[in-house]
């Protein structure tokens, strides 16, 4: 085999028998396609025309509107079923607290007090059912849901808001729903003012606000039930109210077997004494084993076939919404590119 590298004295090496003058490429005469590519890029749009894309977006907007109506109807059925399930689960949870967790305290009530307590439980369950349905607002009025939620937060002065926000993230149902719409809610347009939202953004915002309002209503109903139990002297009176409020969202709560809407807590009930000159004196502290009501959305859905069926319909809708959202955002980007190309060509002068 011929040796490809052969050295000659005083000359450049030969490459496989090819003379150096032949092997050298003359870069000076090389043609680059830059001018042709530039002309093609300037004169020929890379995407469709702005008019074509805008017409496609009109069609997508109508699809979003149709899906919004379907969402509204499905949520109406879902909230109706969920309201009935919450009513049943709330009454059942109060029954378990009174008959299994604190039977002696319940027996100490007179017949009139028991009847009054039971009527209060019914009223609370009916009120929770009605208020849950009231969360469903037209999609154009999704800000009303957020304002109601803010009002509830203001009413709970002693409630730890950071802890509450973490609970929304920890709740399995809410976390799953958040992940399903993450690609939509993380879009920059989602944080725009309401008047700047696209129909897609508006529907995503409405759906997220409604889910948060549902989770919030479960918390406030749970707290109201626990407060009713304490006022009726079934739950310990010396339990501080902030602790009672925090029990509906405490981290690492231990649900009771057979009723996941009840939780067991070990809390400190303290009677603090005043301290002088910065020195803390003894405080009489004791540990209390507390059983409280904590309504959980995932458990309520799991234990009610009608509610679960409606939730599955919502999940199917969300999958379709994701697909539509990707198409919508793709067309929005194409329109932005087409508009930018038109703007470039309108001011570009050929040399």
């Amino acid at each position: 085999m011929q040796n490809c590298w052969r050295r000659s004295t005083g000359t450049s090496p030969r490459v496989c028998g090819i003379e150096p003058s032949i092997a050298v490429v003359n870069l000076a005469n090389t043609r680059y396609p830059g001018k042709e590519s530039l002309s093609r890029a300037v004169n020929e749009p890379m995407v469709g025309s702005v008019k074509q894309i805008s017409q496609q977006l009109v069609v997508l907007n109508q699809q979003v509107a149709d899906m919004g109506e379907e969402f509204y109807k499905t949520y109406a059925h879902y909230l109706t079923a969920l309201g009935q399930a919450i009513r049943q689960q709330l009454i059942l949870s109060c029954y378990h607290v009174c008959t299994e967790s604190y039977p002696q305290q319940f027996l100490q009530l007179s017949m009139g007090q028991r009847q009054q307590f039971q009527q209060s439980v019914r009223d609370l369950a009916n009120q929770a059912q009605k208020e849950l349905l009231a969360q469903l607002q037209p999609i154009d009025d999704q800000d009303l849901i957020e304002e109601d939620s803010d009002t509830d937060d203001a009413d709970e002065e002693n409630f730890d808001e950071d802890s509450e926000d973490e609970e929304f993230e920890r709740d399995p149902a809410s976390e799953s729903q958040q992940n399903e719409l993450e690609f939509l809610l993380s879009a920059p347009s989602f944080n725009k003012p309401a008047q700047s939202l696209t129909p897609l953004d508006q529907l995503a915002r409405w759906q997220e606000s409604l889910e948060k309002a549902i989770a919030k209503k479960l918390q406030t109903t749970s707290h109201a039930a626990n407060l009713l139990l304490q006022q009726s002297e079934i739950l310990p009176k010396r339990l501080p109210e902030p602790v009672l409020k925090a029990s509906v969202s405490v981290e690492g709560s231990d649900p009771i077997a057979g009723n996941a809407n009840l939780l067991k807590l070990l809390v400190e009930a303290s009677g603090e004494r005043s301290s002088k000159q910065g020195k803390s004196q003894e405080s009489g502290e004791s540990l209390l084993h507390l059983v409280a009501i904590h309504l959980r959305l995932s458990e309520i859905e799991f234990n009610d076939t009608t509610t679960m069926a409606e939730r599955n319909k919502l999940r199917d809708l969300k999958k379709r919404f994701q697909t539509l959202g990707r198409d919508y955002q793709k067309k929005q980007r194409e329109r932005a590119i087409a508009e930018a190309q038109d703007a470039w060509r309108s001011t570009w002068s050929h040399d």
Side-chain angles (χ1 to χ4, degrees):
M1 180 176 180
Q2 183 180 5
N3 188 3
C4 290
W5 290 93
R6 302 172 64 182
R7 292 186 176 275
S8 300
T9 304
T11 63
S12 300
R14 300 176 62 190
V15 183
C16 296
I18 301 176
E19 293 293 335
S21 58
I22 300 176
V24 174
V25 178
N26 187 358
L27 298 179
N29 296 325
T30 302
R31 292 187 62 190
Y32 291 96
K35 292 184 178 180
E36 296 178 1
S37 299
L38 177 60
S39 176
R40 189 181 305 112
V42 171
N43 296 312
E44 299 178 8
M46 301 299 292
V47 296
S49 67
V50 174
K51 183 178 179 180
Q52 291 174 339
I53 299 173
S54 296
Q55 291 174 347
Q56 293 170 350
L57 278 172
V58 170
V59 175
L60 289 175
N61 281 334
Q62 184 58 48
Q63 293 178 6
V64 171
D66 295 341
M67 185 166 288
E69 293 180 3
E70 194 172 354
F71 260 116
Y72 187 90
K73 293 178 181 178
T74 305
Y75 264 112
H77 295 305
Y78 168 75
L79 291 176
T80 299
L82 180 61
Q84 295 174 351
I86 288 176
R87 183 181 184 279
Q88 295 171 357
Q89 291 295 321
L90 178 61
I91 295 175
L92 182 61
S93 297
C94 289
Y95 168 79
H96 281 294
V97 171
C98 294
T99 61
E100 297 179 9
S101 301
Y102 299 96
Q104 295 298 327
Q105 288 82 346
F106 182 69
L107 289 173
Q108 289 176 2
L109 300 179
S110 65
M111 180 177 295
Q113 288 174 326
R114 289 198 295 269
Q115 290 175 342
Q116 183 179 359
F117 169 75
Q118 291 170 345
Q119 185 59 48
S120 297
V121 171
R122 290 193 193 94
D123 293 342
L124 177 60
N126 292 333
Q127 179 184 358
Q129 186 176 2
K130 292 178 181 179
E131 290 179 351
L132 188 65
L133 284 172
Q135 301 304 314
L136 185 60
Q137 300 288 339
I139 297 176
D140 294 338
D141 298 333
Q142 76 272 11
D143 289 338
L144 295 177
I145 301 177
E146 296 176 354
E147 290 174 4
D148 291 341
S149 178
D150 294 339
T151 302
D152 290 338
D153 290 338
D155 291 339
E156 298 188 3
E157 296 177 357
N158 296 323
F159 196 85
D160 187 352
E161 294 179 358
D162 294 335
S163 166
E164 178 181 318
D165 291 339
E166 292 173 1
E167 174 61 19
F168 286 141
E169 295 175 0
R170 289 191 300 270
D171 183 80
S174 298
E175 184 176 357
S176 175
Q177 292 147 9
Q178 180 74 17
N179 292 338
E180 288 174 353
L181 291 177
E182 184 177 356
F183 80 100
L184 292 174
L185 305 182
S186 61
S189 59
F190 183 73
N191 294 321
K192 290 181 180 179
Q195 61 269 20
S196 303
L197 294 176
T198 66
L200 181 77
D201 299 325
Q202 196 172 29
L203 181 54
R205 184 177 180 182
W206 173 85
Q207 195 272 340
E208 187 207 24
S209 300
L210 182 55
E211 288 292 342
K212 285 186 176 181
I214 293 170
K216 178 66 179 177
K217 187 55 61 180
L218 287 177
Q219 284 193 346
T220 55
T221 302
S222 298
H223 172 62
N226 290 329
L227 192 59
L228 179 61
L229 288 166
Q230 187 183 48
Q231 291 171 347
S232 301
E233 299 185 356
I234 296 173
L235 291 184
K237 275 285 189 180
R238 56 183 177 147
L239 187 66
E241 187 176 353
V243 175
L244 198 63
K245 288 182 178 180
S247 67
V248 299
S249 59
V250 65
E251 186 175 359
S253 58
D254 185 14
I256 295 178
N259 193 333
N261 292 307
L262 296 180
L263 60 88
K264 294 185 293 186
L265 295 171
L266 187 63
V267 299
E268 289 184 354
S270 60
E272 296 183 355
R273 301 177 183 176
S274 60
S275 60
K276 295 181 179 181
Q277 297 179 355
K279 295 181 179 179
S280 299
Q281 297 182 352
E282 270 188 24
S283 60
E285 294 183 352
S286 60
L287 296 178
L288 289 178
H289 293 270
L290 174 68
V291 175
I293 293 176
H294 183 186
L295 297 174
R296 304 169 191 262
L297 182 60
S298 58
E299 293 296 333
I300 294 173
E301 291 176 345
F302 180 77
N303 291 311
D304 187 80
T305 55
T306 304
T307 306
M308 178 59 75
E310 296 298 332
R311 172 56 76 181
N312 289 334
K313 292 179 182 178
L314 287 173
R315 291 193 179 104
D316 292 339
L317 266 177
K318 287 172 190 172
K319 290 179 182 178
R320 291 166 49 195
F321 186 41
Q322 281 184 305
T323 302
L324 181 60
R326 294 189 189 97
D327 295 341
Y328 193 97
Q329 291 179 344
K330 179 181 178 181
K331 289 301 176 183
Q332 279 187 311
R333 176 166 176 78
E334 288 181 0
R335 183 172 65 178
I337 293 174
E339 289 175 346
Q341 291 174 347
D342 288 348
W344 176 280
R345 285 191 292 270
S346 67
T347 56
W348 176 259
S349 58
H350 299 280
D351 296 334

